[in-house]
Amino acid sequence: MARNIQSLERAAAVLRLLAGGERRLGLSDIATALGLAKGTAHGILRTLQQEGFVEQDPASGRYQLGAELLRLGNSYLDVHELRARALVWTDDLARASGESAYLGVLHQQGVLIVHHVFRPDDSRQVLEVGAMQPLHSTALGKVLAAYDPVAHSELVESERGSFTVHTVTGLGRIETTLDLIRARGYATDIEETWEGVASVAAPIHDRRRMPVGAVGVTGAVERVCKESEPLPGLIASVRDCARAVSRDLGASRF
Amino acid sequence: MTDQTASNSHGTGPFIAAIDQGTTSSRCIVFDRDGRIVSVDQKEHEQILPKPGWVEHNAAEIWTNVQEVVAGAIQKAGIGRDDIKAIGITNQRETTLLWDKNTGEPVHNALVWQDTRTDALCKELGRNVGQDRFRRETGLPLASYFAGPKIRWLLDNVEGLRERAEAGDILFGTMDSWVIWNLTGGAQGGVHVTDVTNASRTMLMNLHTMKWDDKILTSMEVPAAVLPEIRSSAEVYGEVTGGPLGELLGGVPVASALGDQQAALFGQTCFAEGEAKSTYGTGTFMLINTGGKAINSYSGLLTTVGYQIGDNKPVYALEGSIAVTGSLVQWMRDQMGLINSAAEIETLASSVEDNGGAYFVPAFSGLFAPYWRSDARGVIAGLTRYVTKAHIARAVLEATAWQTREISDAMTKDSGVELTTLKVDGGMTSNNLLMQTLSDVLDAPVVRPMVAETTCLGAAYAAGLAVGFWPDTEALRANWRRAAEWTPRMDAETREREYKSWLKAVERTMGWLDDES
């Protein structure tokens, strides 16, 4: 049997000590109760504090449990909350880019479209909220697979269909692409899912830097790309939008 | 609302600034020629609650905040007076202020539209006729929201005020008048005006002549000397003059005023007869453009002025409000604890296919339009063992949809105009299931525009028209962008059956209170 890690055991003991009711304890109380040197206890508390599991009362200097513990048990972000937060930013993205904007989250083995803003040209368009898209070929799907390990394992295990001559289905090439996406911060889909259609997408993170979704634009390849690369201005708009939504999620959760 | 100084490109100007003096906060938004938001600044003010039912605002605090948010928005946009072609104003309607024209000091806190202290006075003013005594002239029932009775209350209750008012030292205004008077110089020559939409909510203006009604003034004992001049919603009232804003924006024309709901109608570009918008917040306000006709309502709606552009003829509207919509979702969150955030109502409601037979009529403080029954109280009907919290969540969303249907039916009954499309805005439009349900029960398409800030946009549009920044309303229509559209998916038979069940549930709310008249 593997040896337990002593510092983790001690951290758990500190949390147990602080748990229950409105308990606030000073450093020496904690050190004494656990039989630790003050310096050791302080190191543990400081680390827990950085992670948000412990908070220090500025006035008394005493410690108490942090809000992050509450979040642990209740950490998933409701997709409708995500849509509500993203609304103004995705409207602006559609306006700035002149293309339709989509917000997607991982659902089972694909991307669930949770929000869709029409292309701002008065043409007839149908709301695609609730539709599913593949993980391996779409920009939204690739972003999710690049940043969210759960999405990645779904992609690996899923059946990867070929939709156009450009669809990449081999795992080796997909992994190379995912590395590139992580390095660049955005993903593309140039006629890999639909003939004549290209998209760009970027990741949305919550306040703990956990990937919670992807946002992107989709349009005719002739408008979205130049020399088989998406227009730099379009990429910037998508990334700006993703950052704005992420900031909104970080600023206001709890 | 977050700071929306988007880093991506917007036009280089010129721009229009709009001030939204609202119930909980004051904001300023700068728009470019395409109607896109360039910058936003916002500041909340105190809600003063001296007694149950009484709600006041400190007008001096509001004016300070307005100056701050205008300066803030201009600064965030990184522009100056030469880039701003005009300033427009939209405001919380009916909130009533009296101030000393020599010092610019308010004589009392502003009485906010929600304030019910004039309930008894309104009953008394109804005499033997009842609450419709002034409806033919003003389009409004005698209710505590409107400004006229609030002026009367102040004149009766602030010591010495009536004498000062009759001597001509006191000015009355809704928040548009207060902001314009201060922007244009205040005690040093500020212009004392209001627009037709705000004037139409005082109960003192005759809807057909657009003038103060002498008979009503006499009945309400309001001296004409306190009243502002009634002007159109889109014209240059004056220029920014004096004070810190004078240094920043001196000379910029102040060029529009519209009550908030009328501004949203304008921002949604509902310029043709039969076009309607509905704003979904804690409560809901639906307005339909009825063109050049002031249509008398026999279904409990309000007749009001939609807007008037310069010398053009005024455009009228019918208005229906729903007291409890978003606030029902908040109630599910805060009082029932069934959800953690407002958005989660959709998650919970989406976990079931239908309402399971349950109907929720949130008549928390009686039934409003089209019933007007103050003896009604809320009901959840159709409960069986089968019903879960998810069905109740569904019933909560459906309640907003059915109440909209009732208002829409009343509008059709009064005006003879069928609703073709409903333009929606407000926080609840992010709820996809609600928007689909709305389309299903109305049997009409529901569309959401790309700029969510339709209220400020409406004020900006009106100001821009007044100074020629936009040539005409057609140019504004061209700016309107559809962000989403929901089309009906419910079959007619289901719709009729569900509507019947809803109406049965509504019936069960009535007469709950015994002694209410």
Side-chain angles (χ1 to χ4, degrees), chain B residues 124-308:
Chain B
E124 187 191 313
L125 286 168
R127 289 198 315 204
N128 51 346
V129 187
Q131 64 172 11
D132 284 342
R133 181 175 169 203
F134 304 119
R135 194 187 265 275
R136 189 188 305 255
E137 295 85 358
T138 65
L140 309 172
L142 267 163
S144 61
Y145 299 115
F146 306 112
K150 290 189 199 293
I151 303 176
R152 162 77 176 271
W153 188 94
L154 287 166
L155 292 171
D156 286 352
N157 288 277
V158 178
E159 208 181 315
L161 190 57
R162 186 169 285 283
E163 292 71 34
R164 288 164 70 194
E166 275 159 6
D169 288 328
I170 299 297
L171 302 180
F172 151 75
T174 38
M175 298 319 281
D176 55 316
S177 303
W178 173 241
V179 170
I180 294 170
W181 188 79
N182 279 296
L183 278 175
T184 55
Q188 278 76 48
V191 293
H192 186 219
V193 296
T194 188
D195 93 298
V196 286
T197 67
N198 278 296
S200 77
R201 315 296 288 200
T202 58
M203 278 206 106
L204 302 174
M205 187 186 79
N206 187 307
L207 270 184
H208 310 282
T209 61
M210 298 288 164
K211 300 251 182 317
W212 300 118
D213 189 300
D214 289 333
K215 270 197 199 143
I216 300 177
L217 292 181
T218 309
S219 310
M220 287 211 199
E221 297 172 31
V222 171
V226 303
L227 299 173
E229 188 186 339
I230 302 173
R231 305 275 284 268
S232 80
S233 322
E235 63 177 279
V236 176
Y237 309 121
E239 291 177 351
V240 177
T241 312
L245 277 189
E247 281 166 38
L248 191 65
L249 293 174
V252 172
V254 180
S256 76
L258 287 152
D260 50 13
Q261 296 307 325
Q262 281 89 341
L265 186 75
F266 208 82
Q268 286 272 28
T269 66
C270 294
F271 298 134
E273 190 175 335
E275 286 190 296
K277 74 90 200 174
S278 199
T279 302
Y280 291 89
T282 52
T284 288
F285 292 88
M286 182 168 168
L287 273 77
I288 187 167
N289 181 323
T290 61
K293 297 186 293 280
I295 291 172
N296 233 327
S297 176
Y298 297 95
S299 316
L301 304 174
L302 307 181
T303 311
T304 198
V305 182
Y307 58 88
Q308 182 187 17

